[in-house]
Amino acid sequence: MFAAEIKNLSVVLSGKTILKNINLKIEDGSFTVITGANGTGKSTLIKTLCGLQKYSGAVKILGRDLKKTDRSVIGYVPQNNVSERTCPLSVFEAVSIGRHAKNGLLKKFSEKDGKIVRNALKISGIENIKDSLVGKISGGQSQKISIARVIVQRPRIIFLDEPQAGLDMESKKDFLNLTERLYKKFKFTCVMVTHDLDDIPSFCKKILKLENSEISET
């Protein structure tokens, strides 16, 4: 079974064709990087696979039509979200959002949920700032919050949209090391897009290039 399958995918935004007749299969359990210049539609592709963008064509996640897929199996880490950092939440509360996404907003946050969140904070190396406000932390720490929030959701497939954008070299290296540890520990499928070839993890076995609405192996 493939983690994701795309057939003849097209996306039109404000009358402009961003993606046209894209075909792609992502193997279950793989770590795949999609590269390409800015403006080629990489972020649009990721958002589409997460169910955040209207499209034509066929998209399957774990063998099911995307429109019928339980969205809790999908994790999404966007580019560094500046607007989120104005939100009056602690780091612990921000990561806990992933459990609410998994369980539903009406279900009470349990002791088990708290344990899962604390474990994710520890693994991500942000346990020491769990009580800090998200608006008071660095960009690198902010991205760790984003991936920790996804991890507590326990997804089957995670999409990373230029996760190292705006980070300094040390923070980029730190984030890649964290991503590798989490990937090996939780054994999810991971798809990451980037325009910078230096951001590709050394452990990545499959690299694809998006150019002129065509995807090819590099």
Short mmCIF file of all heavy atoms in Angstrom, two decimals, residues 7-39:
data_model
loop_
_atom_site.label_atom_id
_atom_site.label_comp_id
_atom_site.label_asym_id
_atom_site.label_seq_id
_atom_site.Cartn_x
_atom_site.Cartn_y
_atom_site.Cartn_z
N LYS A 7 -3.13 11.19 -8.86
CA LYS A 7 -3.33 10.91 -10.27
C LYS A 7 -3.98 12.11 -10.95
O LYS A 7 -5.07 12.54 -10.55
CB LYS A 7 -4.17 9.66 -10.47
CG LYS A 7 -4.28 9.21 -11.92
CD LYS A 7 -5.02 7.90 -12.04
CE LYS A 7 -5.09 7.45 -13.50
NZ LYS A 7 -5.82 6.15 -13.64
N ASN A 8 -3.30 12.66 -11.94
CA ASN A 8 -3.83 13.78 -12.73
C ASN A 8 -4.30 14.93 -11.84
O ASN A 8 -5.37 15.51 -12.05
CB ASN A 8 -4.97 13.32 -13.64
CG ASN A 8 -4.51 12.29 -14.66
OD1 ASN A 8 -3.37 12.34 -15.14
ND2 ASN A 8 -5.37 11.33 -14.98
N LEU A 9 -3.49 15.28 -10.86
CA LEU A 9 -3.83 16.36 -9.94
C LEU A 9 -3.58 17.72 -10.57
O LEU A 9 -2.50 17.99 -11.10
CB LEU A 9 -2.99 16.24 -8.66
CG LEU A 9 -3.07 17.43 -7.68
CD1 LEU A 9 -4.42 17.42 -6.98
CD2 LEU A 9 -1.94 17.38 -6.68
N SER A 10 -4.59 18.59 -10.49
CA SER A 10 -4.45 19.96 -10.97
C SER A 10 -5.01 20.90 -9.92
O SER A 10 -6.00 20.59 -9.25
CB SER A 10 -5.19 20.17 -12.30
OG SER A 10 -4.60 19.41 -13.34
N VAL A 11 -4.35 22.05 -9.75
CA VAL A 11 -4.80 23.07 -8.81
C VAL A 11 -4.78 24.42 -9.50
O VAL A 11 -3.76 24.80 -10.10
CB VAL A 11 -3.90 23.11 -7.55
CG1 VAL A 11 -4.35 24.25 -6.63
CG2 VAL A 11 -3.94 21.79 -6.81
N VAL A 12 -5.90 25.13 -9.41
CA VAL A 12 -6.00 26.46 -10.00
C VAL A 12 -6.33 27.44 -8.89
O VAL A 12 -7.30 27.25 -8.14
CB VAL A 12 -7.10 26.51 -11.09
CG1 VAL A 12 -7.22 27.93 -11.65
CG2 VAL A 12 -6.79 25.53 -12.21
N LEU A 13 -5.53 28.50 -8.76
CA LEU A 13 -5.74 29.53 -7.75
C LEU A 13 -5.90 30.88 -8.41
O LEU A 13 -5.03 31.31 -9.17
CB LEU A 13 -4.56 29.57 -6.77
CG LEU A 13 -4.28 28.30 -5.94
CD1 LEU A 13 -3.02 28.46 -5.12
CD2 LEU A 13 -5.46 28.00 -5.04
N SER A 14 -7.04 31.53 -8.12
CA SER A 14 -7.32 32.86 -8.69
C SER A 14 -7.15 32.87 -10.20
O SER A 14 -6.61 33.81 -10.79
CB SER A 14 -6.42 33.92 -8.05
OG SER A 14 -6.60 33.96 -6.65
N GLY A 15 -7.62 31.80 -10.84
CA GLY A 15 -7.57 31.71 -12.29
C GLY A 15 -6.23 31.30 -12.87
O GLY A 15 -6.08 31.17 -14.08
N LYS A 16 -5.24 31.07 -12.00
CA LYS A 16 -3.91 30.68 -12.46
C LYS A 16 -3.65 29.22 -12.14
O LYS A 16 -3.85 28.76 -11.02
CB LYS A 16 -2.85 31.55 -11.79
CG LYS A 16 -1.43 31.23 -12.24
CD LYS A 16 -0.41 32.13 -11.54
CE LYS A 16 1.01 31.79 -11.98
NZ LYS A 16 2.02 32.64 -11.31
N THR A 17 -3.19 28.47 -13.13
CA THR A 17 -2.88 27.06 -12.92
C THR A 17 -1.54 26.93 -12.20
O THR A 17 -0.50 27.34 -12.74
CB THR A 17 -2.81 26.31 -14.26
OG1 THR A 17 -4.08 26.40 -14.92
CG2 THR A 17 -2.47 24.84 -14.04
N ILE A 18 -1.59 26.37 -10.99
CA ILE A 18 -0.38 26.19 -10.18
C ILE A 18 0.21 24.80 -10.40
O ILE A 18 1.43 24.64 -10.55
CB ILE A 18 -0.68 26.40 -8.69
CG1 ILE A 18 -1.38 27.75 -8.45
CG2 ILE A 18 0.61 26.31 -7.87
CD1 ILE A 18 -0.57 28.95 -8.90
N LEU A 19 -0.64 23.81 -10.42
CA LEU A 19 -0.22 22.43 -10.67
C LEU A 19 -1.12 21.84 -11.76
O LEU A 19 -2.33 22.11 -11.78
CB LEU A 19 -0.34 21.58 -9.40
CG LEU A 19 0.53 21.99 -8.21
CD1 LEU A 19 0.14 21.19 -6.97
CD2 LEU A 19 2.00 21.80 -8.52
N LYS A 20 -0.54 21.05 -12.66
CA LYS A 20 -1.32 20.49 -13.75
C LYS A 20 -0.92 19.04 -14.02
O LYS A 20 0.24 18.73 -14.27
CB LYS A 20 -1.13 21.32 -15.02
CG LYS A 20 -1.97 20.86 -16.20
CD LYS A 20 -1.76 21.77 -17.41
CE LYS A 20 -2.62 21.31 -18.59
NZ LYS A 20 -2.42 22.19 -19.77
N ASN A 21 -1.91 18.17 -13.88
CA ASN A 21 -1.75 16.74 -14.20
C ASN A 21 -0.55 16.10 -13.51
O ASN A 21 0.27 15.41 -14.12
CB ASN A 21 -1.62 16.54 -15.72
CG ASN A 21 -2.88 16.97 -16.46
OD1 ASN A 21 -3.98 16.89 -15.92
ND2 ASN A 21 -2.71 17.42 -17.69
N ILE A 22 -0.45 16.34 -12.20
CA ILE A 22 0.63 15.75 -11.40
C ILE A 22 0.30 14.29 -11.07
O ILE A 22 -0.83 13.97 -10.67
CB ILE A 22 0.82 16.53 -10.09
CG1 ILE A 22 1.31 17.95 -10.37
CG2 ILE A 22 1.79 15.79 -9.16
CD1 ILE A 22 2.73 18.04 -10.86
N ASN A 23 1.29 13.42 -11.24
CA ASN A 23 1.14 12.01 -10.87
C ASN A 23 2.29 11.64 -9.93
O ASN A 23 3.46 11.93 -10.22
CB ASN A 23 1.18 11.12 -12.11
CG ASN A 23 -0.04 11.33 -12.99
OD1 ASN A 23 -1.13 10.86 -12.69
ND2 ASN A 23 0.13 12.08 -14.08
N LEU A 24 1.95 11.00 -8.82
CA LEU A 24 2.98 10.72 -7.81
C LEU A 24 2.52 9.60 -6.88
O LEU A 24 1.34 9.51 -6.54
CB LEU A 24 3.24 11.99 -6.99
CG LEU A 24 4.19 11.87 -5.79
CD1 LEU A 24 5.60 11.55 -6.26
CD2 LEU A 24 4.17 13.18 -4.99
N LYS A 25 3.47 8.75 -6.48
CA LYS A 25 3.20 7.72 -5.48
C LYS A 25 4.29 7.80 -4.41
O LYS A 25 5.48 7.84 -4.74
CB LYS A 25 3.18 6.33 -6.10
CG LYS A 25 2.00 6.08 -7.03
CD LYS A 25 2.02 4.66 -7.60
CE LYS A 25 0.83 4.42 -8.51
NZ LYS A 25 0.84 3.03 -9.07
N ILE A 26 3.87 7.83 -3.15
CA ILE A 26 4.79 7.88 -2.02
C ILE A 26 4.70 6.55 -1.27
O ILE A 26 3.62 6.16 -0.80
CB ILE A 26 4.44 9.03 -1.06
CG1 ILE A 26 4.49 10.38 -1.78
CG2 ILE A 26 5.37 9.02 0.15
CD1 ILE A 26 5.86 10.79 -2.24
N GLU A 27 5.80 5.87 -1.15
CA GLU A 27 5.80 4.56 -0.48
C GLU A 27 5.57 4.70 1.01
O GLU A 27 6.09 5.61 1.66
CB GLU A 27 7.12 3.84 -0.74
CG GLU A 27 7.35 3.47 -2.19
CD GLU A 27 8.66 2.73 -2.40
OE1 GLU A 27 9.30 2.36 -1.39
OE2 GLU A 27 9.04 2.53 -3.56
N ASP A 28 4.80 3.79 1.55
CA ASP A 28 4.51 3.78 2.98
C ASP A 28 5.80 3.57 3.77
O ASP A 28 6.61 2.69 3.46
CB ASP A 28 3.52 2.65 3.29
CG ASP A 28 2.94 2.75 4.69
OD1 ASP A 28 2.88 3.88 5.23
OD2 ASP A 28 2.52 1.72 5.25
N GLY A 29 6.03 4.42 4.77
CA GLY A 29 7.21 4.31 5.61
C GLY A 29 8.44 5.01 5.06
O GLY A 29 9.49 5.00 5.71
N SER A 30 8.32 5.64 3.92
CA SER A 30 9.48 6.30 3.30
C SER A 30 9.67 7.72 3.82
O SER A 30 8.76 8.31 4.41
CB SER A 30 9.31 6.34 1.78
OG SER A 30 8.21 7.17 1.43
N PHE A 31 10.86 8.26 3.60
CA PHE A 31 11.14 9.67 3.83
C PHE A 31 11.50 10.25 2.48
O PHE A 31 12.56 9.96 1.91
CB PHE A 31 12.29 9.86 4.82
CG PHE A 31 12.42 11.27 5.33
CD1 PHE A 31 12.09 11.58 6.65
CD2 PHE A 31 12.84 12.29 4.50
CE1 PHE A 31 12.19 12.89 7.12
CE2 PHE A 31 12.94 13.60 4.96
CZ PHE A 31 12.62 13.90 6.27
N THR A 32 10.61 11.07 1.94
CA THR A 32 10.76 11.61 0.60
C THR A 32 10.89 13.12 0.65
O THR A 32 10.16 13.79 1.37
CB THR A 32 9.54 11.23 -0.28
OG1 THR A 32 9.42 9.81 -0.35
CG2 THR A 32 9.69 11.80 -1.68
N VAL A 33 11.83 13.65 -0.12
CA VAL A 33 12.00 15.10 -0.22
C VAL A 33 11.64 15.53 -1.64
O VAL A 33 12.08 14.91 -2.62
CB VAL A 33 13.44 15.53 0.10
CG1 VAL A 33 13.64 17.00 -0.22
CG2 VAL A 33 13.76 15.27 1.57
N ILE A 34 10.82 16.57 -1.74
CA ILE A 34 10.46 17.15 -3.02
C ILE A 34 11.12 18.52 -3.13
O ILE A 34 10.89 19.39 -2.30
CB ILE A 34 8.93 17.28 -3.18
CG1 ILE A 34 8.27 15.90 -3.06
CG2 ILE A 34 8.58 17.92 -4.52
CD1 ILE A 34 6.76 15.93 -3.08
N THR A 35 11.97 18.68 -4.13
CA THR A 35 12.69 19.93 -4.32
C THR A 35 12.09 20.70 -5.51
O THR A 35 11.23 20.20 -6.22
CB THR A 35 14.18 19.68 -4.59
OG1 THR A 35 14.33 19.01 -5.84
CG2 THR A 35 14.79 18.84 -3.49
N GLY A 36 12.60 21.89 -5.71
CA GLY A 36 12.13 22.71 -6.82
C GLY A 36 12.30 24.17 -6.48
O GLY A 36 12.35 24.55 -5.30
N ALA A 37 12.39 25.00 -7.49
CA ALA A 37 12.57 26.43 -7.28
C ALA A 37 11.33 27.04 -6.63
O ALA A 37 10.24 26.45 -6.65
CB ALA A 37 12.86 27.12 -8.61
N ASN A 38 11.49 28.21 -6.05
CA ASN A 38 10.35 28.93 -5.51
C ASN A 38 9.33 29.20 -6.62
O ASN A 38 9.70 29.54 -7.74
CB ASN A 38 10.80 30.25 -4.89
CG ASN A 38 11.54 30.05 -3.58
OD1 ASN A 38 11.28 29.12 -2.84
ND2 ASN A 38 12.51 30.92 -3.30
N GLY A 39 8.07 29.03 -6.28
CA GLY A 39 7.01 29.30 -7.25
C GLY A 39 6.61 28.13 -8.11
O GLY A 39 5.75 28.27 -9.00
#
